[in-house]
Amino acid sequence: MTDDKTKTPNEASAMWGGRFEAGPDAVMEAINASIDFDRRLYAHDIAASQAHARMLAAEGIIAEADAKAIVDGLDVIKGEIEAGTFAFSRALEDIHMNVEARLTEVIGEAAGRLHTARSRNDQVAVDFKLWVRDALDALDGDMRALQAALLDQAEAHAASVMPGFTHLQSAQPVTLGHHLMAYVEMIGRDRSRAADCRKRLNESPLGAAALAGTSFPIDREATASALGFDRPAANSMDAVSDRDFALEFLAFASILAVHLSRLAEEYVIWCSAQFGYARLGDAFSTGSSIMPQKRNPDAAELVRGKAGRVIGALNGLLIVMKGMPMTYGKDMQEDKEPVFEAAETLELSLAAMTGMLGDTDFDTKRMAADAAKGFATATDLADWLVRVLGMPFRQAHHVTGALVKLAEDKGCGLDGLSLDDMQGIEAGITAEILDVLSAEKSVASRTSLGGTAPASVAAAVAEARKRFLD
Ligand code: ARG
């Protein structure tokens, strides 16, 4: 705050202080002011004020000339804020009073008519909803871009065999494309949660005034539709005290952050020397100041770490809201910073994950070699015993266990056992079984709906492109 010297210390009270004799203590001003962060609402505050002024004139509540002066003056102020010449004042508390005070300087007395039939309570609710709505739209674009990057890699690797894990233990072979497509679905659900949040928030609080509505003959339908809302919020008390939209935004944001963190964690694992499945390009790697050999996936680690902030934001706001009696309380001024921070964090995290995906070389040889390790085709062997020999699955499981133990004792994989070895355990086994023991054969056989067979993955990529990107 650099510009306070141009304002009198008693300015905020000039906006509401008819009955006050002294200005606020400096500490009072410091705890009360939100202008340092809510200035981000300026464009939405101005748009909502312009809609309100136009409606007041249309209903004959203020003169047409005053409404025009207000609308034009607000455009001037918007220009000043965007040019960086606007003198924000902490003494004026928040964006609403900063703008209104400046409007008085710009157009004079008519500015005083803008706040007719309105309160900062409905004003802040409408501004904040408009901001969250824009943030949801922007994040939807970012999520879509991440899906596109995942789909490109999934398509390129529809047939690249890798180990599929449960408990981070080799379970069954899958393809990398199939693995990445799991994230396309996760982000798809995030997008649908965002859309759902947007739909539910899209009711206008404007005209609820302080809490009880107003005696002026306002047209709430008109301001709602001017601002792109579906309808006015039905209950004035709910309208000024509702912050569900911020909580839902943060809930959606937290789940998205968890998804990004899981993908980031995979990157950290895959980029380790021990796994060596992925190599990030120079643009998304960092070195160590002491260990020259290092190539660290810092961006992935930060995406994983930043999920903590987003989840913290949801927790924080839930705790702010849980003790709020009807209707507005100043506690609710604490709603904005967590939402701003979560939105900013996710925008950056999504861009980082999208960038990393485009800058990754997967070591398909290494993944394929690993896919064959750890007796990953044991289930295929058991399935063969069921299918070809008609064995009950439980018995097949038992026989396969004995074959795994034999391979373990011999220090080889299942495909390293000779036919004699196998027939020693189950006489019915024939040479045909060798066909199902490789990782490639295993994945190729998983043709069930939603399964990992390369042809199914290629088809899933095409279907998902239509569902998510068209
Ligand atoms: N800066 C306030 C907020 O963010 C605006 C609403 C103030 N309302 C009031 N009755 N003091 O919540």
Side-chain angles (χ1 to χ4, degrees):
M1 299 298 295
T2 50
D3 315 293
D4 273 358
K5 57 184 169 315
T6 62
K7 309 280 181 185
T8 66
N10 215 0
E11 255 170 333
S13 45
M15 304 290 290
W16 41 249
R19 57 174 295 218
F20 284 69
E21 279 165 15
D25 186 273
V27 173
M28 178 60 207
E29 187 178 293
I31 195 171
N32 207 29
S34 53
I35 187 62
D36 289 350
F37 51 85
D38 70 14
R39 61 173 71 184
R40 288 182 191 232
L41 299 175
Y42 80 91
H44 303 100
D45 190 68
I46 286 172
S49 288
Q50 289 175 326
H52 183 66
R54 288 192 181 104
M55 180 278 292
L56 291 176
E59 297 307 308
I61 300 167
I62 66 172
E64 203 58 66
D66 287 342
K68 183 168 179 356
I70 289 169
V71 168
D72 293 349
L74 288 169
D75 279 335
V76 171
I77 292 169
K78 191 172 177 201
E80 291 175 352
I81 293 175
E82 282 167 3
T85 58
F86 187 92
F88 286 104
S89 158
R90 223 177 250 162
L92 284 165
E93 276 184 46
D94 56 26
I95 187 64
H96 323 296
M97 296 207 294
N98 269 265
V99 170
E100 196 185 320
R102 178 67 186 140
L103 188 63
T104 308
E105 290 171 3
V106 175
I107 68 165
E109 217 181 46
R113 301 197 184 278
L114 170 60
H115 216 51
T116 312
R118 187 178 77 169
S119 150
R120 274 190 294 158
N121 296 349
D122 57 338
Q123 192 179 356
V124 73
V126 75
D127 292 3
F128 197 24
K129 276 192 166 184
L130 291 173
W131 193 94
V132 171
R133 200 174 70 185
D134 280 353
L136 286 166
D137 291 345
L139 284 169
D140 186 66
D142 299 338
M143 290 186 283
R144 185 183 183 281
L146 176 58
Q147 285 182 308
L150 285 162
L151 282 160
D152 286 348
Q153 286 284 16
E155 182 169 45
H157 292 290
S160 304
V161 174
M162 72 180 288
F165 300 96
T166 60
H167 314 266
L168 201 57
Q169 309 282 321
S170 273
Q172 294 175 345
V174 294
T175 71
L176 174 59
H178 196 53
H179 189 135
L180 295 174
M181 287 299 287
Y183 284 93
V184 171
E185 293 300 324
M186 289 150 87
I187 303 299
R189 289 193 295 276
D190 293 321
R191 290 180 70 189
S192 120
R193 265 184 286 276
D196 197 42
C197 169
R198 189 191 198 285
K199 206 163 133 193
R200 204 159 22 249
L201 77 63
N202 214 25
E203 296 184 343
S204 172
L206 197 56
L211 76 164
T214 174
S215 57
F216 291 98
I218 58 171
D219 182 352
R220 293 191 58 210
E221 304 277 355
T223 47
S225 87
L227 295 168
F229 288 106
D230 295 329
R231 64 191 80 83
N235 179 290
S236 65
M237 294 177 77
D238 178 47
V240 294
S241 75
D242 165 40
R243 292 297 181 272
D244 290 3
F245 63 96
L247 291 171
E248 284 191 28
F249 175 83
L250 291 173
F252 136 73
S254 295
I255 298 174
L256 170 59
V258 165
H259 291 161
L260 296 179
S261 179
R262 291 182 68 180
L263 181 55
E265 169 69 358
E266 311 248 39
Y267 256 87
V268 171
I269 293 172
W270 292 346
C271 290
S272 68
Q274 286 70 17
F275 267 74
Y277 290 1
R279 184 183 162 89
L280 270 172
D282 289 353
F284 282 93
S285 304
T286 54
S288 155
S289 53
I290 179 168
M291 296 166 282
Q293 84 283 11
K294 293 273 270 199
R295 209 180 157 74
N296 295 327
D298 284 30
E301 294 164 62
L302 284 162
V303 168
R304 189 177 59 184
K306 282 176 189 294
R309 280 183 197 242
V310 180
I311 295 164
L314 171 62
N315 266 307
L317 189 57
L318 282 168
I319 294 166
V320 167
M321 292 308 295
K322 76 173 196 54
M324 294 297 307
M326 283 284 116
T327 49
Y328 176 84
K330 200 62 179 259
D331 322 35
M332 285 157 70
Q333 183 166 281
E334 294 293 313
D335 59 359
K336 288 169 212 64
E337 286 161 292
V339 169
F340 293 156
E341 194 187 11
E344 211 165 78
T345 300
L346 283 172
E347 210 178 295
L348 192 55
S349 295
L350 283 162
M353 285 313 315
T354 304
M356 279 187 270
L357 274 156
D359 196 26
T360 306
D361 271 334
F362 290 100
D363 188 339
T364 50
K365 278 210 181 75
R366 185 136 177 184
M367 291 190 299
D370 261 11
K373 286 186 201 155
F375 311 109
T377 53
T379 317
D380 299 274
L381 199 160
D383 286 351
W384 185 92
L385 297 172
V386 170
R387 204 170 50 243
V388 180
L389 303 187
M391 215 179 256
F393 182 78
R394 281 292 156 226
Q395 190 190 339
H397 186 283
H398 190 80
V399 169
T400 306
L403 288 165
V404 166
K405 171 136 195 346
L406 180 64
E408 217 164 25
D409 292 345
K410 295 195 146 202
C412 65
L414 284 171
D415 52 356
L417 292 175
S418 68
L419 194 55
D420 273 357
D421 287 339
M422 292 197 264
Q423 286 172 338
I425 286 173
E426 168 49 55
I429 291 178
T430 66
E432 252 180 81
I433 202 169
L434 300 174
D435 268 0
V436 304
L437 294 182
S438 79
E440 284 70 22
K441 293 261 171 51
S442 166
V443 296
S445 74
R446 300 275 193 266
T447 52
S448 57
L449 182 69
T452 194
S456 310
V457 174
V461 168
E463 184 280 325
R465 279 216 168 94
K466 277 209 196 78
R467 183 155 46 104
F468 294 121
L469 305 187
D470 276 358

